[in-house]
Amino acid sequence: MPERRTVALVTLGCARNEVDSEELAGRLAADGWQLVEDAADADVAVVNTCGFVEAAKKDSVDALLEANDLKDHGKTQAVVAVGCMAERYGKDLAEALPEADGVLGFDDYADISDRLQTILSGGIHAAHTPRDRRKLLPLSPAERQGATDVALPGHAQEPAPQEPAPQESAPADLPEGVAPVSGPRAPLRRRLGSSPVASVKLASGCDRRCSFCAIPSFRGSFISRRPSDVLGETRWLAEQGVKEIMLVSENNTSYGKDLGDIRLLETLLPELAAVDGIERVRVSYLQPAEMRPGLIDVLTSTEKIAPYFDLSFQHSAPGVLRAMRRFGDTERFLELLETIRSRAPQAGVRSNFIVGFPGETEADFAELERFLNGARLDAVGVFGYSDEEGTEAVTYEGKLPGDVIAERLEHLSRLAEELTAQRAEERLGETLSVLVESVDESADADDGEYAAVGRAAHQAPETDGQVLFTAGEGLVPGLMVEAKVVGTEGVDLVAERLGGERLEEAGR
């Protein structure tokens, strides 16, 4: 019997890419490939690239070059680029980076095994020609669910079984006129780690046309996954030991609009929270302009649903927002936050902001500072504007000098760091439900080392702060515990586990 060929997946970028990598892993494992963690131990290194901003593109190129170096020192025979950067640039990337033995687009994912076999055998698979993926789906959202020939990374499912499923295994919340599937379908996915947290794709693509963003051009128009597939994948992940799921897409607030019900998320969330083994459900990527009272109510009042709001504000000065093709202003955003916190005082809120957008005046920048000072955000990401080819903003006049953008970026980043640290201090004395993610049995408290690390409901993986435990006795990854905040380190919280009498005391 020939030796099984090995493959390693190196993932860059966002949680959506992580889901895509696990789909690729599922396809490859199903076709006989052996998955390995270290690219140096693999016949083929597959780099799932990010193509969002210049810094992410550079990281992707660096990862490809690093993997290519393994061909001289390790087992690696081929390096293949997939993901957003590969999809966005296709042949141009292949020509600019000959170190990559293949550049595969989303349309290649269904045949990933054959593609890698060809490349590993010395053959050549031509890099794809990039195209505007927004044009692949019907303009009307209601007509998109029938477009089964369009590649949607992270949506793949095993074929439906022939026997109909029991009634309770599929959600009863599909709108009228949308045909249900004929039974539960297993996700075509293989986990690449053992974290108690996993992301689930709720949808793909985006119908918004923000003037600074190129994502819709290479991710396509918005299309929702069926509730039954999201629910089935959540059940499968729970069987794998996952305790928290994070729903991801380019815009979760649009979920269901192509299924005939823009409020479908409000119906689906309680069903996901009721899945055996799941302790917490988190929703990411929310558009402020699309927030609605019913969704806020579900996010702030449903057991096991994290009162967490990842709101994409981007700015708060009206003129800048309109130039960005976005809506809102400082007062409307503060009112939204007040509404959220009136329902859930401990709710977590994070956001990203762009400074130095074309035409941004000193008054606009001061308005953004005013918003940040009043918003009490738990986590903030700040980016300096840079032209993204193919976007409307590239054509704008009023571009700011690089040194002005850098100065504003530094100033706002420093302010954000101070404000989020203050917000963490406001949580001193709070009792939190914390999901333990890692434990270090060798930690030395005298050296300032922490015995365990976890996250509370207001903290998303990778992007936000953490909860640090000085004592790790009885803590294991995947355990949900009650803890009292006793200190802070920047945005991170230092906590003590509660139990028995101390838990009762904290609740008084």
Side-chain angles (χ1 to χ4, degrees), residues 33 158 194 250 262 268 275-276 361 364 369 399 471 498:
W33 289 77
E158 295 282 7
S194 57
E250 280 73 21
I262 191 60
L268 178 60
V275 171
D276 287 344
T361 64
D364 293 330
E369 284 189 88
K399 299 284 177 64
L498 297 174

Side-chain angles (χ1 to χ4, degrees), residues 448 450 468 487-494:
Y450 292 100
L468 311 171
T488 65
E489 289 192 5
V491 296
D492 294 334
L493 305 178
V494 181

Side-chain angles (χ1 to χ4, degrees), residues 47 49 57-69 71 79-82 85-86 89-104 127:
V47 180
T49 60
K57 296 174 197 173
K58 182 181 182 304
D59 288 343
S60 296
V61 170
D62 289 345
L64 287 163
L65 293 175
E66 183 178 339
N68 182 69
D69 289 342
K71 290 192 283 189
V79 175
V80 175
V82 299
M85 189 176 180
Y89 296 106
K91 292 192 295 184
D92 289 343
L93 177 62
E95 293 171 2
L97 199 69
E99 290 85 353
D101 299 287
V103 175
L104 306 180

